[in-house]
Amino acid sequence: MNPAFDSSRPLAPLAQRRRAVLIGVFGFLLLLLAQFLRSAESSSALWNGLSAAGMVIVVFGWSRLLFPGFMGLPRLDQPGLDERQRAVLTRAYATAYQVLALGLLLVYAYGLLTDVLPGLPRLTGGVNAIMLVGLVWIVMGLPAAILAWTEPDPAGE
């Protein structure tokens, strides 16, 4: 049992938690690439293949972060958390908020660049839909991803 977060499951090893985060991020990037290829009117077979692979990878990697208890990570509504544990969770949520704000700013800046540089692929309806679904998944899993990445292994393991 992890003494840092008294959850029903022991904290997964740091390498395993980081691997789940990296798999999920890779899947999101693959989906985004597929959508940009689609908006650039590239081969539909390539777009379909990248989209399918990206979805499978996102579901495999990021879904574990949507349910943080499976990796022994805490939730804010978990009973029995002390002040330090709540502070760590609050810091993870604040960092997630900052990352999302930066991401939205980058998307907005890219949208402005497509007006100035007409050669860039535009953010079409399909890209916007994928980005919205991705944003919802990211919002739901990003605090757990930050905890999974930053929380050290318990002492003695």
Side-chain angles (χ1 to χ4, degrees), residues 43-97:
S43 166
S44 64
L46 176 63
W47 174 81
N48 289 335
L50 285 177
S51 292
M55 284 302 286
V56 168
I57 292 169
V58 165
V59 168
F60 177 72
W62 203 257
S63 62
R64 296 182 59 199
L65 298 169
L66 296 177
F67 304 100
F70 288 125
M71 290 196 298
L73 295 168
R75 300 175 327 273
L76 275 176
D77 63 346
Q78 184 174 324
L81 297 179
D82 63 23
E83 288 180 26
R84 187 203 69 80
Q85 295 163 335
R86 288 199 185 278
V88 167
L89 280 167
T90 302
R91 194 171 334 116
Y93 277 88
T95 303
Y97 177 76

Side-chain angles (χ1 to χ4, degrees), residues 15-37:
Q16 181 182 351
R17 291 181 278 137
R18 285 188 172 178
R19 190 171 28 254
V21 172
L22 288 173
I23 289 170
V25 169
F26 177 73
F28 281 122
L29 291 175
L30 200 58
L31 276 174
L32 194 59
L33 174 66
Q35 291 304 316
F36 276 114
L37 289 175

Side-chain angles (χ1 to χ4, degrees), residues 91-147:
R91 194 171 334 116
Y93 277 88
T95 303
Y97 177 76
Q98 292 168 345
V99 167
L100 288 171
L102 178 63
L104 290 174
L105 182 64
L106 290 174
V107 168
Y108 178 71
Y110 182 83
L112 291 176
L113 277 176
T114 59
D115 291 337
V116 176
L117 303 170
L120 290 176
R122 298 186 74 71
L123 299 176
T124 61
V127 174
N128 290 334
I130 290 293
M131 289 173 64
L132 180 62
V133 170
L135 182 64
V136 169
W137 272 58
I138 290 171
V139 166
M140 292 170 42
L142 191 56
I146 290 169
L147 273 179

